[in-house]
Amino acid sequence: MIIIKKPKELQDFLESNRNEGKRIGFAPTMGALHAGHLSLVNENKKQNDVVVCSIFVNPTQFNDPEDFRKYPVTIEKDILLLEDAGCDVLFLPSVQDIYPSGTNDLNHYELGFLETVLEGKFRPGHFQGVCQIMHRLLEIVLPDNLYLGQKDYQQCMVIKRLIKLIGLDDKVKVTVCPTLREKDGLAMSSRNARLLPAERIKATTLFASLRYIKENLNPGTTKKIKDAGKQMLLQNGFRTDYIEIADANTLQLVENWNGKQKIVVLAAAFINNVRLIDNLQVNT
Ligand code: PAF
């Protein structure tokens, strides 16, 4: 695996590979890698000739400065994991390389409804930051295939929208890879590393509450079952941002389910100051 830090160097390297007819796959990450990330690399490897990953903890997508400060960094371990997983190129830029003119005057993206619900509502500015970094990374890497994790369900929708907005939808194909879970159901996440042992035990309730809703949801009004899911979280020491049922394609919230509409149950909740998110699709 080669490690490239400078955007221009990566662009030149990929350009010559592209000219040889090689397919380029890209999995962007913020490091602190776990098996979920490695599954993106695996998928990438199956479908491409050049497997690119990036590690960059993007400051512009953290609406909470403490979350940014405490975001786990395990770069040496990450490099070994990526090498083992068969990654060909690791892009490891600095903030200066990515935002040479600083972060004060970056693009604004028209994300419409997506920015007003769920993560968009509870993390103001977060998706603008995701678009700023992804726009930059996509222009540098210009991949044929992009790999994202389903755990960040809404982010996947936002990035697909960004790809349309910047006119790359004919060029970049997005593959969303399933969420990987620990044995007790907790969705793998870099932030899990911040949980203390007692918090880690409670954390599994996030998945349990989504599964409870998925398994007990009947056509009709959704309020009662959402409230039951929320109670499960509160009783286990969570503070909830939301636990919602939404249309799987648009993320419009579903108050009344007809039993046929494809939906997704999504939640975001804190254990002390660690914020976790998860989701389950119901009938897709
Ligand atoms: O999901 C993440 O790790 C990040 O939001 C991403 C897509 C790498 C952009 O910084």
Side-chain angles (χ1 to χ4, degrees):
M1 181 174 79
I2 56 173
I3 300 179
I4 297 182
K5 296 192 170 180
K6 297 291 170 198
K8 176 80 173 72
E9 208 179 306
L10 180 62
Q11 279 170 318
D12 290 348
F13 175 81
L14 293 176
E15 180 65 17
S16 61
N17 277 276
R18 216 173 278 119
N19 290 341
E20 289 171 24
K22 295 197 174 150
R23 291 182 73 75
I24 294 163
F26 179 43
T29 83
M30 298 205 299
L33 302 182
H34 49 68
H37 294 113
L38 301 177
S39 76
L40 304 184
V41 181
N42 264 331
E43 211 44 44
N44 186 337
K45 208 169 166 50
K46 276 189 220 155
Q47 297 170 357
N48 301 281
D49 305 304
V50 185
V51 176
V52 183
C53 290
S54 62
I55 296 180
F56 179 70
V57 184
N58 173 36
T60 73
Q61 73 185 73
F62 286 84
N63 54 312
D64 172 3
E66 179 171 324
D67 190 28
F68 179 50
R69 244 192 351 268
K70 296 203 169 153
Y71 201 83
V73 175
T74 57
I75 190 68
E76 262 135 55
K77 188 173 152 224
D78 293 349
I79 290 171
L80 294 176
L81 287 171
L82 286 176
E83 213 152 32
D84 261 14
C87 174
D88 297 312
V89 184
L90 168 59
F91 182 44
L92 198 59
S94 67
V95 174
Q96 169 69 25
D97 291 323
I98 292 293
Y99 301 119
S101 318
T103 54
N104 287 333
D105 203 16
L106 295 171
N107 283 352
H108 185 273
Y109 300 85
E110 280 313 319
L111 301 176
F113 173 72
L114 278 180
E115 220 179 354
T116 67
V117 279
L118 307 169
E119 292 300 282
K121 177 171 168 190
F122 284 92
R123 298 188 68 189
H126 167 62
F127 285 136
Q128 290 299 319
V130 169
C131 286
Q132 285 151 1
I133 181 59
M134 284 308 301
H135 189 173
R136 184 84 174 104
L137 289 172
L138 286 169
E139 280 186 346
I140 294 168
V141 179
L142 269 182
D144 299 287
N145 292 301
L146 176 70
Y147 299 87
L148 301 171
Q150 198 207 303
K151 201 204 71 168
D152 296 294
Y153 193 93
Q154 192 170 1
Q155 170 173 273
C156 294
M157 291 175 70
V158 163
I159 293 175
K160 283 180 185 166
R161 183 170 177 125
L162 168 76
I163 288 173
K164 273 213 177 79
L165 284 174
I166 62 178
L168 285 180
D169 44 328
D170 284 343
K171 164 87 183 91
V172 181
K173 178 171 169 274
V174 177
T175 299
V176 177
C177 299
T179 304
L180 257 62
R181 299 183 178 281
E182 304 291 351
K183 282 204 180 72
D184 64 359
L186 178 67
M188 289 188 187
S189 162
S190 304
R191 287 186 180 84
N192 294 351
R194 291 183 48 205
L195 296 168
L196 300 172
E199 295 170 337
R200 169 64 189 85
I201 291 168
K202 287 182 177 173
T204 187
T205 313
L206 189 59
F207 171 66
S209 65
L210 296 178
R211 197 176 50 184
Y212 174 82
I213 292 178
K214 175 173 173 156
E215 286 172 1
N216 294 284
L217 181 67
N218 289 312
T221 170
T222 56
K223 180 169 181 338
K224 215 164 152 194
I225 194 117
K226 284 190 299 188
D227 285 349
K230 185 168 177 175
Q231 276 312 313
M232 286 174 72
L233 290 171
L234 297 179
Q235 276 160 15
N236 282 279
F238 274 93
R239 203 167 77 247
T240 57
D241 267 355
Y242 60 81
I243 178 153
E244 281 292 355
I245 297 173
D247 183 280
N249 295 314
T250 64
L251 280 193
Q252 291 283 351
L253 303 185
V254 175
E255 309 297 343
N256 247 300
W257 185 46
N258 62 13
K260 292 196 186 110
Q261 187 180 6
K262 291 185 194 326
I263 51 177
V264 56
V265 192
L266 311 102
F270 288 87
I271 302 189
N272 295 324
N273 55 6
V274 183
R275 187 175 187 276
L276 301 176
I277 61 171
D278 198 357
N279 67 80
L280 281 181
Q281 283 174 297
V282 173
N283 57 350
T284 49

